Amino acid sequence: MFCYQCEQTARGVACTGNAGVCGKPFDVALDQDELTGALVGLARTCLAAGTRSSHADELVIRGLFTCITNVNFSREAVRALTDELRAEKERLAARAGIDPVEDLLLGQVWADDENTRSLKSLVLFGLRGAAAYAYHARMLGSVSDEAQQTFVRALAALATESDGAALLDLALEVGKLSHDVMGLLDAANTGAYGNPEPTEVSLKVERGPFVVISGHDLRDLKLLLEQTEGTGVSVYTHGEMLPANAYPGLKRYPQLKGNFGTAWQNQQREFANVPAAFLFTTNCLMPPRPSYADRVFTTEVVSYPELVHVPQAADGTKDFTPVIEKARELGGYDHDVQLTGINGGTTVTTGFAHGTVLSIADKVIDAVRAGKIRHFFLVGGCDGAKPGRTYYTELVKRIPDDCVVLTLACGKYRFNDLDLGDIDGIPRLLDVGQCNDAYSAVEIALALAKAFDCGVNELPLSIVLSWYEQKAVADLLALLYLGITDIKLGPTLPAFVSPGVLGTLVEKFDLAPIATPEEDLAQMLA
Ligand code: FS2
Ligand code: SF4
């Protein structure tokens, strides 16, 4: 196997051998390469036929999402999807009266010269991340024809393009795609469940049976809430599902009680022996430990051998009865259990998406003009297990009192239970939402830039990203596509970015690796 798509890749180079650091076995990795090659074959056949199909569109999104880190560990599921893709390719080719284009062997990409391989990786991993966002929007009925065209064109280019400048342009097009699908998802989520509102979320688990739901898909949470209504089974969010507590259409369910645990990489410790059912709607699933493996369920594109998968019926419904029954059988705790965040806090606050922040834009702008807010920091992205990630906690703790911190995605668990106080009633720590809510952060930045009649790069705003998986790659490409410069990236630079490509990104965008919190803070405030 060869996989170097995430931050925890072996030795900071690549996972090879029998299994990845994430637990993905070599045969699943090879099957995912084959699936990706089949996606390229399907995309090229669509281009040759001059047509797509709604089934092909759906398969492209599902196929890309399946290969994201910590999503799918099942050979059976990956192979079935590959077969489905190939059948659709044959069907489209036959319909157009052409020969289907052959699949790409991913080994060819991995064996390419260093810079070509790096740029193609940037495109492919960005596409995977963007596909996750497109998938969730699709679950709520939002599909963009333009986005689907870009997915197909960029996939096909993995086999046909080798010019460095063209591949870099393509990576930025994937950035546009990522921004567009995040916008689509934002509209779909807020259209379905309302604009998030500032919400204090409890970290206490109340007595009685409960389900913990993880991942990013709000529709799954909605279905679970409908099905647990009046059952006496409580629901807690986990990981990236935390911001769901702020949506009016979701928080109105009284059995949605709060949030359980912290970021994904702590799940094997935090789930051990917990008397509850766990439902994974997306990444990040880690190989379950024996003490709780019997109570973990998957849905959507998430799959793991031996775990019960809750499928979606043809009419779009899902039956979470096995999950709810498992929660009942386990019974939960017989007394309330007060859990805390990493820093000992007992609540966290979320819900500062663009709707809320822009509703108080005048207040924020006044505070900046009066010198009460000196600087904004966007400290966002993924969490992970590397010790170097304490940088983000240290950075946030050191940010001076006259500065505001925006955050998003699961990296915030490092500091979201800290009480940073407020500036004239404006909280100093604003949780914008999930990784896809980078769209919201961009909207806020654009609105501030407009108010101050300057570009985003001229704002007193610094962006410090933490990356782990491919949605962070999609988010980074979106920011680069928007022309945002001076972004700091950590905890380490991606193994798939070659020195040559890094040089280009530094030259064009002033992208920089994080240094120490002290040095970076001094530089950002200078
Ligand atoms: Fe965190 Fe994992 Fe949000 Fe990533 S929960 S690293 O998937 O997408 O971020
Ligand atoms: Fe390794 Fe990350 Fe790939 Fe898993 S997803 S095999 S940890 S590089």
Side-chain angles (χ1 to χ4, degrees):
M1 69 176 283
F2 176 87
C3 184
Y4 67 165
Q5 67 171 349
C6 85
E7 178 264 336
Q8 68 177 1
T9 194
R11 308 169 313 279
V13 180
C15 292
T16 54
N18 286 331
V21 176
C22 61
K24 180 168 70 180
F26 77 96
D27 48 6
V28 176
L30 294 176
D31 287 344
Q32 290 188 353
D33 276 2
E34 198 175 324
L35 167 63
T36 305
L39 281 167
V40 174
L42 174 65
R44 292 182 71 194
T45 302
C46 285
L47 292 182
T51 181
R52 307 192 323 263
S53 65
S54 57
H55 188 43
D57 281 355
E58 191 264 331
L59 287 170
V60 162
I61 298 306
R62 196 146 48 97
L64 285 165
F65 190 178
T66 294
C67 299
I68 288 183
T69 304
N70 292 338
V71 171
N72 199 309
F73 299 77
S74 159
R75 285 201 85 181
E76 206 187 328
V78 174
R79 296 197 76 85
L81 184 52
T82 308
D83 290 345
E84 221 180 323
L85 275 159
R86 288 186 174 138
E88 184 59 10
K89 177 175 84 169
E90 300 287 335
R91 200 187 67 81
L92 281 174
R95 202 176 70 181
I98 59 165
D99 287 334
V101 183
E102 60 188 36
D103 295 348
L104 175 71
L105 291 174
L106 260 260
Q108 292 169 0
V109 174
W110 306 145
D112 237 322
D113 76 85
E114 189 181 67
N115 293 333
T116 310
R117 178 178 83 159
S118 177
L119 287 166
K120 286 190 176 178
S121 299
L122 201 56
V123 169
L124 174 61
F125 303 155
L127 285 174
R128 285 180 178 164
Y133 300 152
Y135 183 96
H136 301 306
R138 196 168 257 277
M139 286 294 112
L140 291 168
S142 292
V143 179
S144 154
D145 185 60
E146 190 192 336
Q148 289 295 150
Q149 278 180 36
T150 310
F151 277 114
V152 164
R153 207 159 34 77
L155 273 170
L158 293 175
T160 56
E161 189 57 78
S162 55
D163 177 67
L167 285 170
L168 184 64
D169 285 348
L170 187 61
L172 295 179
E173 269 189 73
V174 174
K176 176 182 186 311
L177 168 71
S178 165
H179 180 252
D180 289 352
V181 293
M182 282 194 270
L184 196 69
L185 179 55
D186 178 79
N189 280 339
T190 54
Y193 310 120
N195 267 311
E197 42 197 49
T199 304
E200 189 177 73
V201 181
S202 167
L203 302 180
K204 180 164 78 185
V205 179
E206 295 180 19
R207 62 190 289 273
F210 63 103
V211 177
V212 173
I213 179 171
S214 190
H216 305 67
D217 201 285
L218 301 190
R219 180 172 167 272
D220 280 326
L221 173 58
K222 169 75 169 155
L223 295 177
L224 180 66
L225 289 170
E226 283 169 0
Q227 293 175 33
T228 46
E229 231 179 336
T231 62
V233 174
S234 301
V235 175
Y236 295 84
T237 56
H238 170 261
E240 277 281 70
M241 197 61 88
L242 162 65
N245 287 283
Y247 285 81
L250 301 171
K251 67 190 280 192
R252 70 184 172 83
Y253 289 88
Q255 79 273 27
L256 177 60
K257 295 271 172 64
N259 189 69
F260 176 95
T262 55
W264 69 271
Q265 76 279 359
N266 301 322
Q267 67 190 256
Q268 290 174 328
R269 180 168 42 83
E270 292 178 344
F271 292 4
N273 299 307
V274 171
F278 297 94
L279 173 62
F280 277 84
T281 68
T282 63
N283 45 339
C284 285
L285 170 67
M286 296 173 83
R289 292 273 166 85
S291 86
Y292 64 88
D294 65 337
R295 55 203 71 173
V296 182
F297 297 80
T298 62
T299 189
E300 315 249 357
V301 299
V302 193
S303 190
Y304 195 95
E306 315 289 318
L307 297 188
V308 177
H309 185 81
V310 179
Q312 173 157 305
D315 64 358
T317 57
K318 280 186 189 182
D319 183 1
F320 286 123
T321 304
V323 184
I324 298 165
E325 284 307 312
K326 179 55 85 174
R328 278 217 176 100
E329 178 196 320
L330 292 164
Y333 296 112
D334 57 10
H335 58 282
D336 293 356
V337 176
Q338 180 65 65
L339 299 178
T340 64
I342 300 281
N343 305 284
T346 54
T347 62
V348 293
T349 301
T350 186
F352 293 95
H354 60 95
T356 294
V357 177
L358 296 183
S359 72
I360 54 160
D362 289 348
K363 214 170 149 181
V364 174
I365 291 160
D366 287 348
V368 175
R369 291 218 165 100
K372 290 181 177 167
I373 296 179
R374 172 162 48 136
H375 204 86
F376 296 90
F377 291 86
L378 172 60
V379 186
C382 317
D383 207 348
K386 290 255 176 76
R389 288 183 180 269
T390 50
Y391 165 96
Y392 297 95
T393 322
E394 286 311 309
L395 179 75
V396 168
K397 282 184 175 168
R398 281 166 190 271
I399 287 174
D401 288 350
D402 56 356
C403 301
V404 169
V405 182
L406 298 155
T407 189
L408 53 88
C410 65
K412 63 173 161 257
Y413 281 102
R414 298 248 162 197
F415 47 79
N416 68 345
D417 62 327
L418 290 171
D419 181 6
L420 297 191
D422 66 281
I423 299 173
D424 282 0
I426 303 163
R428 287 191 55 236
L429 181 61
L430 302 171
D431 178 10
V432 180
Q434 300 175 325
C435 43
N436 40 287
D437 294 310
Y439 178 81
S440 230
V442 165
E443 288 293 289
I444 293 167
L446 290 173
L448 286 177
K450 195 170 168 210
F452 292 109
D453 198 18
C454 66
V456 171
N457 292 329
E458 280 76 58
L459 283 174
L461 165 71
S462 299
I463 302 180
V464 190
L465 296 184
S466 52
W467 89 284
Y468 169 66
E469 41 74 43
Q470 299 75 52
K471 292 183 217 179
V473 178
D475 284 19
L476 175 65
L477 290 177
L479 296 174
L480 298 183
Y481 153 72
L482 292 166
I484 296 174
T485 58
D486 273 318
I487 297 170
K488 293 193 190 300
L489 183 64
T492 52
L493 293 178
F496 60 83
V497 174
S498 67
V501 170
L502 179 64
T504 308
L505 296 178
V506 170
E507 190 191 327
K508 278 180 104 93
F509 301 103
D510 285 321
L511 186 72
I514 56 168
T516 63
E518 299 87 331
E519 281 172 70
D520 284 350
L521 202 52
Q523 192 241 323
M524 291 185 284
L525 286 172

